[in-house]
Amino acid sequence: MSAESKYETHEYDVLVIGAGGAGLRAAIEASAMGARTALVCKSLLGKAHTVMAEGGIAAAMANVDPQDGWETHFKDTMRGGVFVNNWRMAQLHAQQAPDRVRELERWGAVFDRTHDGKILQRAFGGHTYRRLVHVGDRTGLEMIRTLQEKGVHQGIDVFMECAVTRLLKDGDRIAGAFAYWRETGRYVIFKSKAVVLCTGGIGKAYKITSNSWEYTGDGQALAYHAGAELLDMEFLQFHPTGMVWPPGVSGLLVTESVRGDGGQLRNNKGERFMFKHIPDRYKPQISETEAEANQWIAEIRAGKQPTARKPAELLPRDIVARGIYMEVKEGRGSPHGGVFLDISHMPAEYVKKKLPSMYHQFKDLADVDITREPMEVGPTTHYIMGGIRVNPDTQESAVPGLFAAGEAAGGLHGANRLGGNSLSDLLVFGKLAGEHAAQHAKTAGPPKVDDAQADGAAREMNEFFTRADGENPYQIHAELQDMMQSLVGIFRVEDELRKSLEKLATLKNRAARVCIKEGNKMFNPGWHLCKDLQNMILIAEAVARAAQFRKESRGAHSRLDHPGFNPEFAKVNTVAFKGRDGAMQLEGRPLPEMPAELKQLIETEKNHKERHG
Amino acid sequence: MAEVRKFKVYRGDKNGGQLTEYNVQVEPGMVVLDGIHQIQRTQAADLACRWNCKAAKCGSCSAEVNGKPRLLCKTRLDDFDPAEIITVRPVKTFPLIRDLVCDVSWNFEVNKKIPPLTPKKTADWVMHQEDMDRVQEFRKCIECFLCQNVCHVLRNHDLKDRFYGPRFMVRIACLEMHPMDGLDRTKLLKDEAGLGFCNITKCCTEVCPEEIHITDNAIIPLKERVADRHYDPLRAFWRKIMGADHPCTCADGG
Ligand SMILES: Cc1cc2nc3c(=O)[nH]c(=O)nc-3n(C[C@H](O)[C@H](O)[C@H](O)COP(=O)(O)OP(=O)(O)OC[C@H]3O[C@@H](n4cnc5c(N)ncnc54)[C@H](O)[C@@H]3O)c2cc1C
Ligand code: SF4
Ligand code: SF4
Ligand code: FES
């Protein structure tokens, strides 16, 4: 029997996998261009990670600081990413983000306002000017709800709680995807001329993370197996401020807006330790004394143009995360192994208005009233800068017809992402991916689904039940998380990376025999985890291999055995792909050449930086 | 030795089921969702439950804990008496899929019927914070559907074909009060959306984890708007079938 008659089959021009900001924006664009568009997601619509984003969307709209413009946003992004970003993506992103935000407003988003009725923007780490468009600390909810409304009224077909396990190919080109319904466990085939992967990140491979169960690296793994390349997987962001107590919420995010709105970091001696960690390249922007930092806070609170430099708490995330880590390691941490983040010096009403969900999160979950007492925070695995390698103008991967956008794609953020640059990334590149996928579908003929591929995909899922003697997936998952946390964490070293790869090989073998003894195919999370585990282990391998390859410290990637930049590695991105023998290959690929005018924009900065670190 | 807490969790599907007992090792600050995850990890790998954010932001983990509709990720074990058993059931108003997971797709269908923001023709989008405040209150909705779950019109009378429910009154209020919107949805409210079925028991407002004043700020102003424009026959109908002072039946979780 042919696969199409055996399995429930749907046919589309464009299949978008993932319904966060990137997927929704891609689907909206594809369908606006006349493509028959399907949107598939593992959770219910509106529950993707994007809903959790707090701080804001970075866009140089210059509503608050009139000096801002795309050039500065571009420079900030490149500097934050320590110059290994894809320059073209950084340029498109900075240029197009303001239009994407305005469009959201036209579709119903209700952002906080300035006194004169424009969209308000707040300060964030690494951004020269106040740039983050926001709604209190629930910007992601505003964004996803707006896109969701726009999408469903535009006739996109949504397949909720449907998980893709394999991409289908017709020769070299993409032919669609194989999935199961979470509710019933029934298999389903999506036949489509173009596929856009917007599946988000990989944080669930780590023990302490701000990420949900969905972040198992599915998109990266699907693309890898389909023949696409994974870029810069060593660049994994540890957000400096996650909750550390109580245990059930450890890793839960504490938004950077707390610092953007005046929050101070202190160790157990009461010292504002970030002033000790200001790299030379940030000195022009960052206060060197507490007095100056406090002046900046007073100025923004009064709604004035700041004359002081920004507090050291607003250095980019990689620097703050390492600063916190060192305080704890050297015995100056808080009782539960973090440091103190304090915003209680600001008026209670201000805190509740600006940070309502943080206020509730700490009050409800940790019995801490942040308007009166400090929070305890520490680094948490948050975001992957690396991802599926794409053409910067079209978002197409190395596989014809396969596109990627959002956190699942790599390139824009280089070695470290600035806060707010993800939500803008989703909008800008979600749109481009949708547009080019629809374009591709216009000229591509109908794909053919290969029966053997579909049957193979079904067999993989069935075997988790039929196998008699395997291990429980939860056990292997816990071991993976512990191992990645301790061996491929904030600080890395050759010995531990080698060990992690050995451990991963063992885990991979054990996971190949994983099985589920309870329940049936109806909404069975244990069964789902059996498959997710394979993806996490694969992606963990890409992270560890890339981390081993890059023998320098850059952005979020810190090698204890190779501190500082290495000029050889400054010239390359890392690329992981499946070799002919089926084993993972890793190589350095020269950075694309930047045009002269952009080079000039960042040259002075860069020289300074390579000299002073 | 760590403290142990007894959980009873509903296990079953549309064909029936029962409460099953589990022992959970208690950690400080634990929420009910942590308990469910521990059960999945150690005792019942197939226990079905939705969650995403663990921080009351996504509205996935709605269920009924000891009879009260709650978000599992926000319900602390130490809110209960130490001797009390923690009983977790799926929400009642929507058809059960499995264990704690219900079929809430009806809500997504309703949402499609509400015409989205339709901007007035105006060149500039100058909007002031004072006008945004009330709209932003409604935009806080995380679609946990707990209000839909407790509303007696849906829960006890199953009038899903007549009444959109409080969540969608909030949604419509949000559109109607948006300073740039140019559409009038009062006819929809009066007819298909069934606004007249709401008899202001306020049970929805009581359960809303986002503390949206659903009745006072959304439903009552909408009712006034509709009354301004139309005579409401549904209100008369409601009185006829329910009696004028219908008691609130939704907060007891029954
Ligand atoms: C707590 C928190 C706060 C944040 N705050 C900010 C902020 O203030 N500003 C900012 O810029 N960034 C922020 N970020 C980062 C940002 O929110 C994310 O990077 C971004 O939302 C990712 O969006 P996405 O569209 O790529 O993916 P997501 O929104 O994560 O969506 C992924 C989608 O893919 C689906 N999916 C995954 N695998 C499969 C599969 N196998 N089959 C089918 N569907 C699948 C999922 O169901 C989901 O719908 C924050 C992140 C977190 C966790
Ligand atoms: S006030 Fe009562 S009747 Fe009206 S929507 Fe809320 S719960 Fe339902
Ligand atoms: S209005 Fe409140 S209770 Fe109802 S769905 Fe929204 S957040 Fe939940
Ligand atoms: S898990 Fe998101 S609201 Fe509970």
Side-chain angles (χ1 to χ4, degrees):
Chain A
M1 209 171 29
S2 83
E4 285 175 52
S5 51
K6 201 163 11 170
Y7 309 103
E8 174 187 340
T9 300
H10 301 272
E11 202 168 334
Y12 286 95
D13 294 326
V14 175
L15 170 70
V16 179
I17 305 174
L24 279 161
R25 189 63 190 83
I28 289 169
E29 199 61 21
S31 105
M33 290 188 50
R36 295 185 55 249
T37 306
L39 183 61
V40 191
C41 53
K42 289 205 279 193
S43 288
L44 295 172
L45 190 59
K47 313 292 184 199
H49 243 81
T50 300
V51 81
M52 297 169 220
E54 295 163 353
I57 313 171
M61 307 184 73
N63 288 353
V64 180
D65 290 323
Q67 314 89 307
D68 203 7
W70 78 261
E71 293 89 345
T72 317
H73 193 181
F74 169 78
K75 269 201 294 195
D76 289 346
T77 302
M78 295 296 295
R79 180 174 45 206
V82 207
F83 309 105
V84 290
N85 325 48
N86 181 295
W87 66 265
R88 178 65 178 154
M89 287 175 86
Q91 180 188 30
L92 289 170
H93 168 251
Q95 288 173 332
Q96 299 181 3
D99 278 346
R100 295 289 79 77
V101 169
R102 276 181 217 112
E103 179 178 81
L104 271 192
E105 186 168 72
R106 299 295 191 272
W107 295 345
V110 183
F111 298 115
D112 286 352
R113 317 306 294 179
T114 61
H115 294 306
D116 52 352
K118 290 193 278 194
I119 295 175
L120 182 61
Q121 302 188 266
R122 68 154 54 112
F124 240 58
H127 291 282
T128 304
Y129 298 112
R130 284 171 287 179
R131 192 176 279 148
L132 266 72
V133 170
H134 62 278
V135 186
D137 54 7
R138 55 161 194 84
T139 314
L141 170 64
E142 192 63 28
M143 178 159 146
I144 203 164
R145 207 60 89 227
T146 305
L147 292 170
Q148 186 184 338
E149 298 295 345
K150 176 75 183 165
V152 297
H153 288 103
Q154 203 173 278
I156 297 163
D157 291 341
V158 183
F159 296 80
M160 300 194 287
E161 299 198 313
C162 185
V164 172
T165 65
R166 202 175 282 199
L167 295 178
L168 302 172
K169 287 183 75 181
D170 176 359
D172 279 341
R173 63 179 279 213
I174 204 79
F178 183 91
Y180 63 86
W181 288 106
R182 287 166 61 80
E183 177 176 340
T184 58
R186 274 172 51 110
Y187 300 131
V188 44
I189 288 178
F190 295 95
K191 202 172 148 182
S192 73
K193 296 175 188 166
V195 171
V196 189
L197 288 168
C198 301
T199 49
I202 67 151
K204 267 294 158 193
Y206 284 75
K207 186 170 171 192
I208 298 177
T209 176
S210 64
N211 294 174
S212 83
W213 69 272
E214 294 201 307
Y215 268 26
T216 51
D218 296 5
Q220 292 86 344
L222 290 166
Y224 171 89
H225 287 304
E229 297 170 328
L230 303 179
L231 184 80
D232 289 344
M233 295 297 282
E234 69 276 29
F235 296 134
L236 181 64
Q237 180 165 76
F238 297 88
H239 194 291
T241 59
M243 289 175 80
V244 295
W245 183 260
V249 296
S250 88
L252 213 65
L253 196 75
V254 180
T255 175
E256 186 169 326
S257 321
V258 176
R259 285 170 284 139
D261 292 338
Q264 305 175 342
L265 287 167
R266 291 182 194 278
N267 60 21
N268 66 13
K269 305 204 155 25
E271 188 189 3
R272 268 176 90 176
F273 57 87
M274 279 315 297
F275 290 103
K276 294 187 300 199
H277 300 281
I278 309 170
D280 279 349
R281 63 184 188 275
Y282 278 100
K283 291 213 164 129
Q285 292 183 11
I286 298 288
S287 307
E288 285 169 80
T289 62
E290 235 184 290
E292 187 182 353
N294 293 344
Q295 185 192 335
W296 181 89
I297 294 170
E299 285 169 336
I300 60 153
R301 224 184 93 198
K304 288 199 209 131
Q305 281 295 318
T307 56
R309 289 172 293 177
K310 291 190 292 187
E313 279 86 359
L314 288 176
L315 283 161
R317 291 176 177 177
D318 52 334
I319 301 169
V320 182
R322 281 192 294 268
I324 294 176
Y325 184 93
M326 293 313 291
E327 290 303 310
V328 178
K329 200 165 166 196
E330 289 166 10
R332 292 185 297 276
S334 66
H336 300 106
V339 295
F340 297 106
L341 173 62
D342 194 358
I343 191 148
S344 64
H345 53 279
M346 301 299 256
E349 280 323 302
Y350 172 90
V351 174
K352 285 189 203 166
K353 168 81 189 162
K354 288 297 217 182
L355 304 162
S357 59
M358 281 306 108
Y359 173 74
H360 285 288
Q361 185 170 312
F362 274 89
K363 198 159 142 290
D364 297 342
L365 301 175
D367 300 321
V368 168
D369 178 350
I370 67 169
T371 66
R372 298 152 146 274
E373 50 193 325
M375 303 159 239
E376 274 187 76
V377 297
T380 180
T381 314
H382 184 56
Y383 182 91
I384 181 129
M385 276 70 72
I388 301 161
R389 187 167 163 270
V390 291
N391 173 316
D393 288 281
T394 63
Q395 299 293 106
E396 191 168 22
S397 72
V399 178
L402 180 63
F403 298 76
E407 191 169 340
L412 169 63
H413 308 290
N416 174 50
R417 173 177 73 88
L418 298 184
N421 268 1
S422 169
L423 293 186
S424 43
D425 169 6
L426 311 182
L427 295 171
V428 170
F429 295 104
K431 175 182 187 288
L432 289 176
E435 179 184 325
H436 289 279
Q439 207 99 56
H440 178 92
K442 274 188 189 149
T443 51
K448 218 178 93 16
V449 169
D450 175 59
D451 298 343
Q453 287 177 34
D455 287 337
R459 199 175 327 112
E460 180 189 15
M461 292 307 293
N462 290 337
E463 279 177 357
F464 297 127
F465 276 112
T466 51
R467 215 171 267 145
D469 58 344
E471 278 179 82
N472 173 311
Y474 291 94
Q475 178 57 38
I476 303 179
H477 186 204
E479 286 181 42
L480 171 73
Q481 291 179 314
D482 283 337
M483 188 281 286
M484 289 303 282
Q485 193 76 37
S486 62
L487 301 182
V488 198
I490 294 196
F491 286 104
R492 296 153 181 190
V493 54
E494 184 64 32
D495 231 25
E496 296 188 347
L497 291 171
R498 196 174 330 107
K499 251 188 245 151
S500 77
L501 286 164
E502 283 163 17
K503 189 92 201 246
L504 279 167
T506 331
L507 287 173
K508 192 169 164 183
N509 284 333
R510 284 168 59 192
R513 297 190 314 271
V514 74
C515 77
I516 172 84
K517 301 197 173 67
E518 292 111 320
N520 52 34
K521 286 186 181 172
M522 272 183 72
F523 218 112
N524 186 337
W527 182 45
H528 306 158
L529 183 60
C530 289
K531 173 63 190 171
D532 297 345
L533 189 59
Q534 319 293 324
N535 295 338
M536 281 186 275
I537 291 174
L538 176 78
I539 295 312
E541 181 183 343
V543 173
R545 279 196 195 285
Q548 190 183 38
F549 179 88
R550 189 174 284 281
K551 295 185 179 23
E552 64 163 351
S553 294
R554 181 175 296 270
H557 173 67
S558 307
R559 289 278 306 245
L560 286 174
D561 46 353
H562 300 280
F565 300 127
N566 175 328
E568 285 315 303
F569 287 100
K571 290 187 242 159
V572 293
N573 294 119
T574 63
V575 175
F577 56 93
K578 196 179 196 167
R580 277 179 202 287
D581 58 354
M584 188 179 289
Q585 303 293 311
L586 200 118
E587 64 184 40
R589 198 72 67 76
L591 298 179
E593 185 67 23
M594 198 185 303
E597 68 274 16
L598 293 181
K599 244 190 213 157
Q600 215 167 7
L601 262 181
I602 63 168
E603 206 55 36
T604 33
E605 300 249 352
K606 193 172 162 185
N607 286 339
H608 187 78
K609 169 160 199 176
E610 303 274 295
R611 265 201 320 272
H612 301 283
Chain B
M1 221 185 80
E3 191 193 331
V4 172
R5 189 90 191 209
K6 217 171 241 5
F7 270 54
K8 283 187 179 174
V9 183
Y10 188 85
R11 305 294 315 267
D13 55 30
K14 65 175 190 299
N15 301 315
Q18 73 293 316
L19 286 172
T20 304
E21 259 188 44
Y22 301 97
N23 286 329
V24 167
Q25 307 284 328
V26 177
E27 284 187 335
M30 201 173 199
V31 294
V32 176
L33 185 61
D34 294 324
I36 298 292
H37 283 161
Q38 194 187 102
I39 295 169
Q40 282 179 333
R41 253 190 340 262
T42 57
Q43 302 168 62
D46 63 328
L47 169 56
C49 171
R50 286 194 182 105
W51 70 282
N52 281 68
C53 67
K54 263 194 115 259
K57 291 192 171 114
C58 72
S60 301
C61 62
S62 306
E64 299 187 5
V65 183
N66 293 6
K68 287 225 168 58
R70 312 281 295 257
L71 294 177
L72 296 180
C73 69
K74 215 183 142 177
T75 308
R76 298 259 301 249
L77 292 191
D78 50 21
D79 286 349
F80 298 88
D81 189 90
E84 214 173 331
I85 295 174
I86 307 287
T87 305
V88 193
R89 291 176 180 273
V91 295
K92 180 176 168 234
T93 303
F94 300 105
L96 184 63
I97 292 175
R98 185 154 184 257
D99 303 342
L100 303 177
V101 175
C102 291
D103 178 359
V104 292
S105 57
W106 173 76
N107 294 288
F108 292 88
E109 292 309 313
V110 170
N111 190 39
K112 280 190 204 157
K113 298 186 204 156
I114 302 173
L117 183 79
T118 311
K120 292 186 264 204
K121 291 222 169 7
T122 144
D124 59 17
W125 274 58
V126 175
M127 297 190 279
H128 292 281
Q129 190 61 47
E130 307 82 82
D131 304 324
M132 297 282 95
D133 282 340
R134 61 180 185 168
V135 180
Q136 283 181 338
E137 178 187 6
F138 304 140
R139 302 282 299 180
K140 286 195 304 190
C141 170
I142 56 173
E143 299 206 320
C144 65
F145 306 130
L146 285 175
C147 57
Q148 304 286 79
N149 178 46
V150 296
C151 174
H152 68 103
V153 182
L154 305 173
R155 187 181 178 105
N156 303 80
H157 305 288
D158 199 19
L159 289 170
K160 293 196 188 78
D161 52 342
R162 315 282 296 266
F163 182 45
Y164 284 4
R167 154 62 188 136
F168 296 102
M169 297 303 132
V170 168
R171 167 89 189 122
I172 297 175
C174 175
L175 291 163
E176 287 286 289
M177 295 178 201
H178 191 294
M180 293 293 158
D181 185 71
L183 211 65
D184 180 353
R185 295 173 188 74
T186 48
K187 187 164 167 3
L188 174 85
L189 278 167
K190 185 170 80 67
D191 301 335
E192 289 99 285
L195 177 62
F197 278 100
C198 164
N199 58 339
I200 324 215
T201 58
K202 298 203 180 183
C203 313
C204 51
T205 306
E206 271 163 38
V207 293
C208 178
E210 286 295 309
E211 297 174 4
I212 300 172
H213 297 90
I214 304 175
T215 6
D216 289 353
N217 292 354
I219 295 182
I220 294 173
L222 287 179
K223 279 181 181 271
E224 284 164 359
R225 238 170 235 231
V226 171
D228 277 353
R229 290 196 183 60
H230 309 272
Y231 159 71
D232 187 357
L234 270 180
R235 204 184 288 169
F237 168 79
W238 186 250
R239 266 198 217 102
K240 215 160 91 196
I241 65 163
M242 303 299 308
D245 296 308
H246 178 70
C248 170
T249 54
C250 39
D252 63 2

PDB file of all heavy atoms in Angstrom, chain B residues 141-147 167 170 208-210 212 214, ligand 3:
ATOM      1  N   CYS B 141      -4.649  38.188  29.172  1.00  0.00           N
ATOM      2  CA  CYS B 141      -5.232  36.842  29.178  1.00  0.00           C
ATOM      3  C   CYS B 141      -4.266  35.808  28.623  1.00  0.00           C
ATOM      4  O   CYS B 141      -3.730  35.964  27.539  1.00  0.00           O
ATOM      5  CB  CYS B 141      -6.516  36.830  28.355  1.00  0.00           C
ATOM      6  SG  CYS B 141      -7.119  35.159  28.073  1.00  0.00           S
ATOM      7  N   ILE B 142      -4.024  34.730  29.379  1.00  0.00           N
ATOM      8  CA  ILE B 142      -3.105  33.680  28.941  1.00  0.00           C
ATOM      9  C   ILE B 142      -3.850  32.474  28.364  1.00  0.00           C
ATOM     10  O   ILE B 142      -3.255  31.433  28.128  1.00  0.00           O
ATOM     11  CB  ILE B 142      -2.173  33.226  30.091  1.00  0.00           C
ATOM     12  CG1 ILE B 142      -2.988  32.755  31.311  1.00  0.00           C
ATOM     13  CG2 ILE B 142      -1.212  34.352  30.487  1.00  0.00           C
ATOM     14  CD1 ILE B 142      -2.141  32.133  32.424  1.00  0.00           C
ATOM     15  N   GLU B 143      -5.150  32.625  28.147  1.00  0.00           N
ATOM     16  CA  GLU B 143      -5.962  31.546  27.591  1.00  0.00           C
ATOM     17  C   GLU B 143      -5.808  30.230  28.347  1.00  0.00           C
ATOM     18  O   GLU B 143      -5.555  29.180  27.768  1.00  0.00           O
ATOM     19  CB  GLU B 143      -5.688  31.366  26.085  1.00  0.00           C
ATOM     20  CG  GLU B 143      -6.030  32.635  25.318  1.00  0.00           C
ATOM     21  CD  GLU B 143      -6.407  32.409  23.852  1.00  0.00           C
ATOM     22  OE1 GLU B 143      -5.765  31.579  23.200  1.00  0.00           O
ATOM     23  OE2 GLU B 143      -7.360  33.072  23.387  1.00  0.00           O
ATOM     24  N   CYS B 144      -5.964  30.318  29.660  1.00  0.00           N
ATOM     25  CA  CYS B 144      -5.946  29.096  30.467  1.00  0.00           C
ATOM     26  C   CYS B 144      -7.317  28.442  30.444  1.00  0.00           C
ATOM     27  O   CYS B 144      -7.478  27.290  30.815  1.00  0.00           O
ATOM     28  CB  CYS B 144      -5.553  29.429  31.894  1.00  0.00           C
ATOM     29  SG  CYS B 144      -6.774  30.469  32.735  1.00  0.00           S
ATOM     30  N   PHE B 145      -8.321  29.193  30.036  1.00  0.00           N
ATOM     31  CA  PHE B 145      -9.713  28.728  29.949  1.00  0.00           C
ATOM     32  C   PHE B 145     -10.303  28.299  31.289  1.00  0.00           C
ATOM     33  O   PHE B 145     -11.303  27.586  31.342  1.00  0.00           O
ATOM     34  CB  PHE B 145      -9.864  27.607  28.898  1.00  0.00           C
ATOM     35  CG  PHE B 145      -9.328  27.998  27.541  1.00  0.00           C
ATOM     36  CD1 PHE B 145      -8.442  27.179  26.850  1.00  0.00           C
ATOM     37  CD2 PHE B 145      -9.710  29.200  26.950  1.00  0.00           C
ATOM     38  CE1 PHE B 145      -7.934  27.561  25.609  1.00  0.00           C
ATOM     39  CE2 PHE B 145      -9.210  29.587  25.700  1.00  0.00           C
ATOM     40  CZ  PHE B 145      -8.320  28.759  25.034  1.00  0.00           C
ATOM     41  N   LEU B 146      -9.696  28.743  32.385  1.00  0.00           N
ATOM     42  CA  LEU B 146     -10.281  28.432  33.694  1.00  0.00           C
ATOM     43  C   LEU B 146     -11.621  29.141  33.858  1.00  0.00           C
ATOM     44  O   LEU B 146     -12.552  28.614  34.461  1.00  0.00           O
ATOM     45  CB  LEU B 146      -9.326  28.833  34.820  1.00  0.00           C
ATOM     46  CG  LEU B 146      -8.122  27.903  35.036  1.00  0.00           C
ATOM     47  CD1 LEU B 146      -7.182  28.475  36.090  1.00  0.00           C
ATOM     48  CD2 LEU B 146      -8.577  26.499  35.438  1.00  0.00           C
ATOM     49  N   CYS B 147     -11.723  30.338  33.300  1.00  0.00           N
ATOM     50  CA  CYS B 147     -12.996  31.055  33.400  1.00  0.00           C
ATOM     51  C   CYS B 147     -14.077  30.326  32.606  1.00  0.00           C
ATOM     52  O   CYS B 147     -15.222  30.215  33.049  1.00  0.00           O
ATOM     53  CB  CYS B 147     -12.843  32.493  32.917  1.00  0.00           C
ATOM     54  SG  CYS B 147     -12.235  32.643  31.231  1.00  0.00           S
ATOM     55  N   ARG B 167     -13.984  34.145  28.522  1.00  0.00           N
ATOM     56  CA  ARG B 167     -12.729  34.430  27.832  1.00  0.00           C
ATOM     57  C   ARG B 167     -12.982  35.260  26.569  1.00  0.00           C
ATOM     58  O   ARG B 167     -12.257  36.195  26.273  1.00  0.00           O
ATOM     59  CB  ARG B 167     -11.992  33.129  27.470  1.00  0.00           C
ATOM     60  CG  ARG B 167     -11.044  33.220  26.271  1.00  0.00           C
ATOM     61  CD  ARG B 167      -9.912  34.219  26.517  1.00  0.00           C
ATOM     62  NE  ARG B 167      -9.072  34.502  25.360  1.00  0.00           N
ATOM     63  CZ  ARG B 167      -8.682  35.728  25.006  1.00  0.00           C
ATOM     64  NH1 ARG B 167      -9.096  36.788  25.664  1.00  0.00           N
ATOM     65  NH2 ARG B 167      -7.875  35.896  23.986  1.00  0.00           N
ATOM     66  N   VAL B 170     -13.981  38.831  27.119  1.00  0.00           N
ATOM     67  CA  VAL B 170     -12.764  39.626  27.331  1.00  0.00           C
ATOM     68  C   VAL B 170     -12.140  39.989  25.976  1.00  0.00           C
ATOM     69  O   VAL B 170     -11.754  41.137  25.738  1.00  0.00           O
ATOM     70  CB  VAL B 170     -11.753  38.841  28.203  1.00  0.00           C
ATOM     71  CG1 VAL B 170     -10.385  39.507  28.206  1.00  0.00           C
ATOM     72  CG2 VAL B 170     -12.279  38.703  29.625  1.00  0.00           C
ATOM     73  N   CYS B 208      -9.727  33.831  37.643  1.00  0.00           N
ATOM     74  CA  CYS B 208      -8.754  34.278  36.635  1.00  0.00           C
ATOM     75  C   CYS B 208      -7.366  34.475  37.246  1.00  0.00           C
ATOM     76  O   CYS B 208      -7.173  35.321  38.103  1.00  0.00           O
ATOM     77  CB  CYS B 208      -9.202  35.584  35.980  1.00  0.00           C
ATOM     78  SG  CYS B 208      -7.984  36.173  34.782  1.00  0.00           S
ATOM     79  N   PRO B 209      -6.371  33.684  36.814  1.00  0.00           N
ATOM     80  CA  PRO B 209      -5.039  33.810  37.413  1.00  0.00           C
ATOM     81  C   PRO B 209      -4.367  35.126  37.049  1.00  0.00           C
ATOM     82  O   PRO B 209      -3.431  35.541  37.716  1.00  0.00           O
ATOM     83  CB  PRO B 209      -4.267  32.625  36.823  1.00  0.00           C
ATOM     84  CG  PRO B 209      -4.982  32.268  35.576  1.00  0.00           C
ATOM     85  CD  PRO B 209      -6.412  32.651  35.771  1.00  0.00           C
ATOM     86  N   GLU B 210      -4.838  35.776  36.021  1.00  0.00           N
ATOM     87  CA  GLU B 210      -4.264  37.058  35.622  1.00  0.00           C
ATOM     88  C   GLU B 210      -4.975  38.235  36.295  1.00  0.00           C
ATOM     89  O   GLU B 210      -4.684  39.398  35.997  1.00  0.00           O
ATOM     90  CB  GLU B 210      -4.325  37.208  34.100  1.00  0.00           C
ATOM     91  CG  GLU B 210      -3.306  36.344  33.370  1.00  0.00           C
ATOM     92  CD  GLU B 210      -1.866  36.770  33.674  1.00  0.00           C
ATOM     93  OE1 GLU B 210      -1.577  37.971  33.549  1.00  0.00           O
ATOM     94  OE2 GLU B 210      -1.071  35.900  34.052  1.00  0.00           O
ATOM     95  N   ILE B 212      -7.822  39.483  35.846  1.00  0.00           N
ATOM     96  CA  ILE B 212      -8.575  40.360  34.951  1.00  0.00           C
ATOM     97  C   ILE B 212      -9.977  40.506  35.557  1.00  0.00           C
ATOM     98  O   ILE B 212     -10.581  39.514  35.958  1.00  0.00           O
ATOM     99  CB  ILE B 212      -8.661  39.747  33.534  1.00  0.00           C
ATOM    100  CG1 ILE B 212      -7.253  39.559  32.964  1.00  0.00           C
ATOM    101  CG2 ILE B 212      -9.523  40.613  32.604  1.00  0.00           C
ATOM    102  CD1 ILE B 212      -7.199  38.784  31.669  1.00  0.00           C
ATOM    103  N   ILE B 214     -13.002  40.376  34.804  1.00  0.00           N
ATOM    104  CA  ILE B 214     -13.760  39.961  33.620  1.00  0.00           C
ATOM    105  C   ILE B 214     -15.164  40.556  33.648  1.00  0.00           C
ATOM    106  O   ILE B 214     -15.623  41.147  32.667  1.00  0.00           O
ATOM    107  CB  ILE B 214     -13.843  38.420  33.531  1.00  0.00           C
ATOM    108  CG1 ILE B 214     -12.430  37.820  33.546  1.00  0.00           C
ATOM    109  CG2 ILE B 214     -14.623  37.982  32.288  1.00  0.00           C
ATOM    110  CD1 ILE B 214     -12.392  36.308  33.580  1.00  0.00           C
TER     111      ILE B 214
HETATM  112  S1  SF4 C   3      -9.638  35.622  31.136  1.00  0.00           S
HETATM  113 FE1  SF4 C   3      -8.383  34.884  32.847  1.00  0.00          FE
HETATM  114  S2  SF4 C   3      -9.308  32.922  33.397  1.00  0.00           S
HETATM  115 FE2  SF4 C   3     -10.090  33.450  31.398  1.00  0.00          FE
HETATM  116  S3  SF4 C   3      -8.744  32.437  29.967  1.00  0.00           S
HETATM  117 FE3  SF4 C   3      -7.965  34.506  30.245  1.00  0.00          FE
HETATM  118  S4  SF4 C   3      -6.463  34.324  31.867  1.00  0.00           S
HETATM  119 FE4  SF4 C   3      -7.693  32.466  31.938  1.00  0.00          FE
END
